[in-house]
Amino acid sequence: MTTLAALKTILQSEVPAVNSVPTSDQYDQAIKDAVADFSRRCGKVKNSTLPVVSGTATYTLPSDFLQMIELESPFDPEHNVMITSSGIVPFNSITGFEEEVTIQGLSLTIYPTPEYTVSRYFEYKAGWILSGGDFVNLGDAETSVVMIKAKQLAKDKIKNSLASNGSMKYSFGAVSVDKGAALDQLDKDMFKLHGDYVEACKDYNGAVGGAF
């Protein structure tokens, strides 16, 4: 596990705040958003079982669930029967078996409400989640990619702050400040970081068999 606090310390060192931006909360959010983006791009394929109970329509999915890949059907179309925990249930050869599955967040709903009890195997795309300050199963290989994205997001906070804070050029005593040049450099930095991040995600997926 990798802690949010540890990643925050690294990010603050590699992308120091400018005029107190990013704030402490913004550093935290940059890391959380980076992990979420990495999960979408490089999520792992995992499997589990859905304990379907007769009379129950809605079920809670795993906390790291991102996307359903496949939900096993209890219906055997070859023999036109359903295999349940209580035995084999025959179906009318004309109507057969039909159901609709919807997912909202971590809630899965089956319609019509099941009138059978059976454990159904499913495959899903899983991400990395924050639990008690720790990112579960986020190892060194994942962290190295996540931090590229986090740096891009932190620099974006600095850019937005500078761009919204008055004129592009000003003088303070003998010191002349050109915010336009600073913004241009931030744009270049973020463009490079984004490219590095995309390539790192591709490398990660190729190395560990991640996203599908």
Side-chain angles (χ1 to χ4, degrees), residues 117-135:
T117 296
V118 68
S119 290
R120 298 174 62 174
Y121 167 88
F122 68 95
E123 284 189 347
Y124 68 100
K125 181 179 182 179
W128 287 265
I129 59 171
L130 185 64
S131 177
D134 295 324
F135 285 105

Side-chain angles (χ1 to χ4, degrees), residues 60-166:
T60 301
L61 294 165
S63 57
D64 60 356
F65 178 91
L66 289 179
Q67 180 181 340
M68 183 67 74
I69 300 174
E70 179 184 5
L71 174 61
E72 180 183 52
S73 173
F75 182 64
D76 178 356
E78 182 178 352
H79 300 96
N80 214 39
V81 297
M82 180 185 292
I83 304 173
T84 72
S85 298
S86 58
I88 297 176
V89 179
F91 272 78
N92 183 297
S93 60
I94 297 176
T95 59
F97 171 76
E98 292 184 359
E99 71 175 7
E100 179 181 350
V101 176
T102 61
I103 297 174
Q104 290 187 333
L106 296 180
S107 293
L108 179 148
T109 301
I110 302 172
Y111 179 83
T113 299
E115 296 181 358
Y116 58 88
T117 296
V118 68
S119 290
R120 298 174 62 174
Y121 167 88
F122 68 95
E123 284 189 347
Y124 68 100
K125 181 179 182 179
W128 287 265
I129 59 171
L130 185 64
S131 177
D134 295 324
F135 285 105
V136 181
N137 296 325
L138 192 74
D140 291 343
E142 293 80 17
T143 298
S144 64
V145 183
V146 165
M147 292 306 290
I148 300 173
K149 183 65 176 180
K151 286 189 283 187
Q152 178 196 352
L153 295 174
K155 284 178 178 286
D156 188 52
K157 292 293 184 185
I158 295 173
K159 176 194 170 185
N160 290 338
S161 175
L162 289 175
S164 63
N165 188 22

